[in-house]
Amino acid sequence: MDIYLKNIAPNPLIGSLSIVGEVWKKELHLKPENYIHILAPSGSGKSTLMGILYGIRNDFKGELIIQGESVKNSSQEDWSKLRSSQIAIVFQDLQLLDELTAIENIQIKNQLTNAYTKDEIVKMAKSLDVYELLDKKVALLSRGEKQRIAILRSLCMQFSWLLLDEPFSALDEVNTQKAIALIKTVVTENNAGLILSNLYSDNYFDYTKKVRMA
Amino acid sequence: MTTLKRLEWLSMKVNIVNILLQGKSKLGLLIAGFGILLSSFLIASVYQLFNDVSFILDKSEKEEGYQYLQISKEVGVSTSLGLSSPDFSVNEIASLKKQNFIEDVAELWSNDFRVYGRFGGNGFDMFFTSVKPDFIDADTDNFKWEIGQVEIPVIISNQFLTLLNHAVLPSQGRSPIPKIAIKQATVDLQLTKDGKRLRFKARVVGFSDRISSVLVPRNFLDYANNELSGNTQTRVSMVVLKVKDSGDKTLRKYLDRNDYDVNGEQLVVQKSKTVLKITLGVVFVFGFVILILSMALSLSQIKGLIYQNKDRIRMLILLGYSPAGIIKSLLVSIAKLLGVIIMLVLPFIWIVFNSVHSLMLTYTLGLPQLTIGVWLIPIAISMVILSGIFASVKKLIK
């Protein structure tokens, strides 16, 4: 699934956009199965970009084209279809429900997409070392544990693109590597691409393209 | 927790509405549900009771929209002394017919001989009356007599039957007799006057709510009066009035002024009927108010639920749930709740009214049917609530 960004400029950032950046007010073609790294210093609009790509934000000028169609006037229902079948995401703020258990948070997504059996979910949970946490309320988990649950939940669908907004910010090296291994497996199974945004340059994946936001 | 238990747990389905309800007070929703249950029951019951009341009190009047009063002349000292007649004169009947609040007048012609009946070894005195057929609120197909016919068809008052079954027979330690059995039996009759005697048999062919008497065909009464007393002019002891409103003040003043007695407390019945209908109306309004309050409460509870869950709903939408899907899940859950309410209300109504109707049958008040409206009212209420919630939720979630 091709994604084109044509001269996009978020309304709140107009006037303060960096001229050296390769995203805002530029043309950017994100080809299928590409691994894109977005290098974005704080305040450069990294989460804003993720929000635009995921259809959460519509306050921008320019044109976002997904599957050959501009999404400027797409409805909530259109975005729901994309979010349940084409674009997966790990939010920077994770977007988990603290009152629910880890498994309930995962099941909310998996039940919608019917992506995996319970055995497969258990297997993935074990690979991220969160199996023992599944019946615990998210509120009781550490930031790192929550981040792994959010990663696991994001993978519970078939997708063309996986958006990762600072996905390993709270993980130690061992858990980061476990998460990377699982993500690579699932992305490969889906023949999908991924877009990872980070504050610094990294080598988590074999990126086909590195883009600077500022 | 063991791994096995955790696997079982994993198979648990996550319900969107449960997610929305998690950690929130359900008391308001429970009160709203109970209110809907109570108001549905009250409104459906009032509807059925209104139908039952009409069945009992209006069945003789319902088709035409008229009421019937049976009147007689008040028996005073002068009547007892023979100075005035207890019968209606031609002029008096003509005067009744002239009154604009009286639609029609029917004379109740009486027997001028003694009637003695025997049934089951018991003897008793009886009386006969006749009235024109269009005033009879009973099936008159078999109410015919020809000279030479031994069996006389009679129509008796339902009040007599009630008295017989609930006062006379129980006092003798005997069981009540159903209408169908009464129609099978015949009473041996002996009609006598001045040494003349005629023998007949009487068979009950119908029951009247309107006329408190024992009705026989007019040609039989004329024949018997002529044969036994030589009277060709059959006397009129009572009159039946057909009126639009038996509670009309002018009518009542007219009846009082002329010393006419209304039989069977029919005016009181009319007043009671009005009071009963007003009472039912009040209960209906009460039920309706509860319904409106319950609907408002359920709507505000659902709205509150959505406001309180804005973040959760937003998260569900971010995960790929469509707003329409969330609304559908919510409505399906509410529809299930309303379904449970209906499933509770309908059998309860069925049980209550079957008992009421059995009781009515025992007291020979007839057997009204459960109306289709009784079943439709709770369903219609649920549909209205569901539509209201749908409109409200759609606006909020979109």
Side-chain angles (χ1 to χ4, degrees):
Chain A
M1 185 177 80
D2 288 296
I3 298 177
Y4 283 101
L5 287 88
K6 285 190 172 177
N7 300 315
I8 285 180
N11 294 340
L13 298 181
I14 289 174
S16 63
L17 294 175
S18 164
I19 51 165
V20 292
E22 299 169 273
V23 177
W24 305 132
K25 288 191 171 179
K26 301 283 186 327
E27 291 211 357
L28 186 61
H29 180 197
L30 307 175
K31 292 176 186 166
E33 300 180 42
N34 276 5
Y35 284 22
I36 316 289
H37 182 270
I38 307 280
L39 178 62
S42 185
S44 60
K46 168 175 54 67
S47 293
T48 304
L49 174 65
M50 290 299 189
I52 290 170
L53 291 174
Y54 200 61
I56 303 168
R57 300 193 64 149
N58 204 22
D59 55 340
F60 62 88
K61 291 196 165 48
E63 209 171 5
L64 174 65
I65 296 166
I66 296 177
Q67 282 182 312
E69 282 186 35
S70 171
V71 296
K72 191 78 183 173
N73 297 315
S74 291
S75 66
Q76 280 283 13
E77 300 293 327
D78 295 332
W79 275 110
S80 294
K81 278 178 199 159
L82 284 174
R83 288 171 193 151
S84 59
S85 63
Q86 298 288 346
I87 306 172
I89 190 168
V90 177
F91 296 100
Q92 187 186 15
D93 59 359
L94 307 180
Q95 293 282 355
L96 294 170
L97 285 176
D98 281 351
E99 305 88 342
L100 302 187
T101 61
I103 189 64
E104 284 174 321
N105 271 280
I106 295 164
Q107 282 287 71
I108 289 173
K109 181 77 182 188
N110 193 56
Q111 194 170 284
L112 176 72
T113 59
N114 283 319
Y116 293 111
T117 64
K118 61 181 178 183
D119 291 341
E120 288 167 330
I121 289 175
V122 165
K123 197 177 159 191
M124 289 198 288
K126 282 180 177 172
S127 75
L128 289 183
D129 214 10
V130 291
Y131 176 63
E132 296 299 324
L133 309 175
L134 288 180
D135 58 338
K136 288 195 166 48
K137 292 230 189 246
V138 165
L140 302 174
L141 304 183
S142 70
R143 169 79 185 173
E145 289 167 338
K146 285 180 186 175
Q147 206 159 35
R148 280 177 281 161
I149 296 297
I151 290 168
L152 179 46
R153 184 187 64 181
S154 72
L155 300 176
C156 287
M157 63 180 282
Q158 291 185 330
F159 54 86
S160 300
W161 284 99
L162 174 63
L163 311 182
L164 301 160
D165 193 358
E166 295 188 55
F168 314 125
S169 57
L171 300 186
D172 58 30
E173 184 58 28
V174 175
N175 281 316
T176 301
Q177 289 308 318
K178 285 178 181 173
I180 289 169
L182 179 65
I183 290 169
K184 272 183 183 170
T185 308
V186 179
V187 169
T188 307
E189 279 171 3
N190 280 285
N191 297 320
L194 68 80
I195 302 169
L196 185 145
S197 68
N198 216 340
L199 294 168
Y200 49 85
S201 184
D202 65 69
N203 293 307
Y204 295 144
F205 300 95
D206 299 327
Y207 298 111
T208 50
K209 187 169 191 157
K210 290 201 172 188
V211 180
R212 288 161 54 91
M213 288 199 74
Chain B
M1 185 182 279
T2 64
T3 308
L4 184 66
K5 268 193 174 174
R6 195 163 286 146
L7 280 172
E8 282 171 9
W9 205 69
L10 248 178
S11 65
M12 185 193 76
K13 285 268 179 192
V14 181
N15 184 300
I16 292 178
V17 177
N18 287 345
I19 292 172
L20 300 183
L21 284 173
Q22 198 151 17
K24 312 288 178 193
S25 170
K26 298 165 189 79
L27 185 66
L29 277 176
L30 280 174
I31 293 171
F34 181 73
I36 293 166
L37 191 144
L38 183 68
S39 53
S40 299
F41 176 73
L42 278 178
I43 292 172
S45 296
V46 167
Y47 180 80
Q48 181 60 40
L49 280 172
F50 204 84
N51 188 66
D52 290 357
V53 167
S54 300
F55 178 85
I56 302 165
L57 300 176
D58 296 344
K59 62 183 173 184
S60 58
E61 303 150 12
K62 210 158 44 182
E63 287 172 17
E64 301 171 55
Y66 292 109
Q67 291 152 1
Y68 293 82
L69 296 177
Q70 189 175 324
I71 61 166
S72 55
K73 291 174 79 173
E74 193 177 296
V75 177
V77 179
S78 61
T79 321
S80 299
L81 294 173
L83 298 173
S84 61
S85 169
D87 297 336
F88 284 86
S89 67
V90 175
N91 286 343
E92 285 167 332
I93 290 167
S95 170
L96 281 167
K97 286 180 178 173
K98 275 185 204 163
Q99 305 307 316
N100 54 11
F101 43 80
I102 296 171
E103 297 294 323
D104 198 2
V105 176
E107 298 91 333
L108 270 177
W109 295 287
S110 300
N111 54 301
D112 203 8
F113 47 83
R114 187 183 177 203
V115 183
Y116 187 74
R118 285 194 73 82
F119 177 71
N122 295 319
F124 43 87
D125 277 302
M126 293 174 65
F127 64 98
F128 286 152
T129 52
S130 277
V131 71
K132 57 184 179 181
D134 55 331
F135 267 61
I136 299 174
D137 58 335
D139 187 2
T140 54
D141 286 352
N142 297 319
F143 192 60
K144 290 177 181 71
W145 181 85
E146 287 172 4
I147 292 175
Q149 190 177 318
V150 176
E151 199 170 276
I152 309 155
V154 299
I155 292 173
I156 64 168
S157 164
N158 264 321
Q159 288 174 359
F160 294 170
L161 187 61
T162 306
L163 282 172
L164 179 72
N165 278 338
H166 297 284
V168 180
L169 293 176
S171 69
Q172 297 171 1
R174 292 161 72 180
S175 307
I177 307 170
K179 280 183 178 177
I180 191 154
I182 286 178
K183 282 184 169 180
Q184 300 302 316
T186 54
V187 176
D188 292 324
L189 296 175
Q190 192 170 282
L191 317 182
T192 55
K193 185 161 187 182
D194 300 336
K196 293 179 189 169
R197 185 187 308 268
L198 292 172
R199 287 182 191 278
F200 290 96
K201 284 181 185 295
R203 183 188 293 276
V204 176
V205 296
F207 302 88
S208 169
D209 286 309
R210 188 180 295 163
I211 298 166
S212 298
S213 188
V214 179
L215 294 171
V216 293
R218 173 76 196 274
N219 63 341
F220 168 76
L221 194 65
D222 288 347
Y223 167 82
N225 276 342
N226 191 34
E227 286 290 312
L228 295 166
S229 61
N231 280 346
T232 49
Q233 194 75 33
T234 304
R235 65 189 184 85
V236 178
S237 59
M238 286 180 282
V239 165
V240 182
L241 306 179
K242 181 180 176 182
V243 294
K244 280 228 160 136
D245 178 12
S246 61
D248 182 75
K249 280 183 185 170
T250 323
L251 167 70
R252 290 173 66 186
K253 273 183 189 165
Y254 176 84
L255 296 175
D256 285 344
R257 197 170 58 240
N258 289 283
D259 293 333
Y260 292 146
D261 281 336
V262 178
N263 183 61
E265 297 294 328
Q266 280 167 311
L267 288 178
V268 178
V269 168
Q270 175 60 26
K271 277 186 194 168
S272 307
K273 189 163 68 177
T274 309
V275 170
L276 196 56
K277 284 185 174 178
I278 289 170
T279 309
L280 285 177
V282 169
V283 177
F284 178 82
V285 170
F286 182 63
F288 196 71
V289 168
I290 294 179
L291 175 68
I292 297 295
L293 290 176
S294 306
M295 283 169 82
L297 182 63
S298 56
L299 215 61
S300 73
Q301 284 294 313
I302 301 291
K303 277 185 176 177
L305 194 68
I306 290 165
Y307 276 123
Q308 286 170 13
N309 281 289
K310 268 170 98 174
D311 290 341
R312 291 181 185 183
I313 291 170
R314 184 176 175 274
M315 198 214 72
L316 288 172
I317 291 171
L318 287 184
L319 289 179
Y321 282 87
S322 68
I326 295 171
I327 291 169
K328 191 181 158 194
S329 297
L330 202 58
L331 288 181
V332 166
S333 292
I334 294 165
K336 280 181 187 169
L337 186 70
L338 291 170
V340 169
I341 290 172
I342 290 172
M343 295 311 285
L344 286 172
V345 169
L346 295 187
F348 194 52
I349 288 173
W350 190 83
I351 291 166
V352 168
F353 280 97
N354 259 358
S355 308
V356 169
H357 292 168
S358 299
L359 210 62
M360 286 169 69
L361 194 62
T362 310
Y363 284 94
T364 63
L365 293 168
L367 182 66
Q369 297 297 308
L370 266 174
T371 53
I372 187 82
V374 169
W375 309 120
L376 293 179
I377 284 170
I379 295 169
I381 287 173
S382 299
M383 297 299 284
V384 169
I385 292 170
L386 207 57
S387 309
I389 290 173
F390 174 69
S392 176
V393 166
K394 198 175 163 190
K395 224 183 274 180
L396 287 173
I397 291 185
K398 295 239 162 159

